[in-house]
Amino acid sequence: MRPTTLARRLAQIPLGLLLAASLVFALMHLAPGGPVLALAGEYADAAMQADIAARFGLDRPLLVRWWAWLSALARGDLGTSWLEGRAVAAVIAERLPVTLALLIPAALLSMAGGLALGLLTAPPATAHHGPWPDAAMLVLHAVPVYVIAAGLVAVFALGLGWLPVQGFSDARVADPGWLDHARHLALPVLTLALHQACLTMLAFRAGLHTELHRPHVVTAFARGAGFPRVRLRHAAPAALLPLAALAGGRLGGALAGAVLIETVFALPGLGRLLVQSAANRDQPVVVGLALCGMVAVMLGTLLADLACAWLDPRIRR
């Protein structure tokens, strides 16, 4: 990717974040019920509601509140949580390690498993591209995440009793170590990895099927090279190109899957924090989480484009 193109892409990120975060900000304030009702309670009198609205600046016009929020954001201040009374950045930083401990192993497992399955099920160039692996992976990918989670819990937690069902650690242990955290994360990581590995396998297998019919691959076959060698050395590197582009776009799907999985398995991560904050109308936390999620998706897309340019010199030119 040329430096001018990279600079233009980096300059587009703040504008995109501003527009998307402003939309979330407006929707949170215009949603039925409103934050005042959520903070004061359903049976609070008008005086209490007015006091809460004045305390948090909710009695001002929406444009005035948006400009104050934007001015604070320009200084790096995400605001203060209305429910916890702490800085939003501190609340997010406290929950971030749990979400990273879920997403990073799941991404590595899904990538390794999808690539391995794609290599094993890719037919030779002279064979028919059988539909059954694609159909099986499509069906498994179409299954909702919470259904996969329920199945794994029924087998490994309730049936075999090998793994815990919920939580990030054992509440009965005063100082749980990394092994206890790993046992509690095993089922959530496996659930998300299975769901993401299906799409990885489909994309990589389709790329291999296309690359095995390229002229340079046919030439390698004509020179007497075996199918495993040609598949691994000539077809697989080029088949990674669409997979790299797909990985950046799938980051948003992984974050959405983390919201469901953290809710199902009661993990104290960012996904569960988002659900709780949205239910309680804690607008600064919701907007802060949305902003962090958008930053992750945009940076992931940019890194995917850079990876594609590194894998294929034609994109750099």
Side-chain angles (χ1 to χ4, degrees), residues 112-123 200-202 204-206 208 231:
L115 293 179
L117 287 174
L119 282 173
L120 292 176
T121 60
T200 302
M201 179 264 188
L202 288 172
F204 187 54
R205 188 171 184 267
L208 281 176
R231 178 180 57 184

Side-chain angles (χ1 to χ4, degrees), residues 43 63 85 123 128 137-138 144 182 225 234 257 264 292:
Y43 301 102
L63 287 178
H128 176 64
M137 290 297 106
L138 280 173
H234 297 277
V264 171
C292 293

